[in-house]
Amino acid sequence: MTSVQLFGFDGSTYLKTVQIACARLAIPYETLSLEFGKPSHLALHPFAKMPAMRHGDVSLYETAAILSYLNDLSEDASLVPEEPVQRARMWQGVSAAIDYGYPALVRSTFTDDTTTVDLKPVEQCLAAFANLLGDNSWLAGDTVSFADVIIGPMVAHFVHAAPSGQAVLDRHEKLADWNRRMAAD
C-alpha cells in the first residue's frame, strides 16, 4: 500500500487522532507540515483547519471522513465495532468529543494563562466520557474504536496543558486508567 500523506502540525489533537488510527490499522503514513492559512493549505482544507489527507488521487479533510477512509483501507483491522449498540456508542463518543470535548479540553487551553480554564465544561465532558466507558476496556466496548482515538488525544492534551489537568482527570478513576492505557498502547 502506498503511504498516506497527513498534513498538519505537531500538537494538533486531530492530527494525532489520525496518526494513531494509521498506526492501529497498520497503514503507512508520513506527516507533512502546512503553510497555515496559505493557498496551499486552503487547497487541502477549505476551512484552513487540520488534518488533511492525501492518498494517491484521494484528498480528504475532516477527521471523521479521514478515519472512515482509513478504516476501509485496512484489510486486517477495524476501529468500528460490529455490534450495533457498540457502534452507536462509538459515534456518540465521536460526536460528543467534536462538539463538546474539543472546546472544553483543548480550545480552552489556548491561552497565556491556563489557570483560567473553566473546569465546569471539562468536568461535564470527563464525566460523560467516564460514563461512556463504564466497565468496558475501551469507550465503545472491548476494542479500541474511533471514539478512543479521537477522545484520547484531547484528554492527553488537557492533562498536559492545564496545571490541574491530571488532578481533574484523576477524579474519574476509570477514565484516568483508560487514559494511561491509551498512552501506553
Side-chain angles (χ1 to χ4, degrees):
M1 175 185 309
T2 59
S3 183
V4 171
Q5 294 177 318
L6 305 177
F7 298 88
F9 297 130
D10 286 339
S12 163
T13 58
Y14 287 128
L15 176 62
K16 186 68 174 168
T17 288
V18 175
Q19 291 170 326
I20 292 168
C22 283
R24 288 194 155 276
L25 295 169
I27 295 173
Y29 71 94
E30 61 179 319
T31 303
L32 304 169
S33 294
L34 291 169
E35 293 182 284
F36 192 78
K38 301 286 186 189
S40 61
H41 183 190
L42 294 170
L44 294 165
H45 197 306
F47 301 101
K49 302 287 184 180
M50 60 187 106
M53 183 216 77
R54 189 177 302 138
H55 183 235
D57 294 337
V58 176
S59 292
L60 293 170
Y61 60 91
E62 293 303 313
T63 305
I66 295 169
L67 289 177
S68 178
Y69 177 81
L70 294 172
N71 199 71
D72 289 346
L73 275 184
S74 179
E75 296 176 10
D76 300 323
S78 179
L79 295 173
V80 177
E82 289 186 26
E83 202 275 321
V85 171
Q86 291 179 350
R87 192 170 47 251
R89 290 187 191 280
M90 175 200 73
W91 286 119
Q92 178 178 283
V94 167
S95 183
I98 292 168
D99 292 341
Y100 314 110
Y102 187 85
L105 300 170
V106 180
R107 192 176 305 134
S108 69
T109 65
F110 293 166
T111 175
D112 291 335
D113 181 11
T114 56
T115 61
T116 62
V117 171
D118 182 2
L119 293 181
K120 184 177 179 182
V122 169
E123 286 284 3
Q124 186 177 15
C125 285
L126 294 178
F129 298 152
N131 187 52
L132 185 63
L133 179 64
D135 291 326
N136 295 316
S137 299
W138 302 102
L139 291 170
D142 295 331
T143 61
V144 172
S145 73
F146 288 171
D148 299 284
V149 301
I150 287 181
I151 295 170
M154 291 179 189
V155 171
H157 172 87
F158 178 76
V159 165
H160 295 294
S164 61
Q166 187 63 54
V168 172
L169 178 60
D170 285 343
R171 292 195 280 262
H172 306 274
E173 187 177 329
K174 289 181 182 178
L175 193 64
D177 289 341
W178 165 86
N179 185 59
R180 284 188 277 282
R181 284 186 285 112
M182 279 298 295
D185 209 42

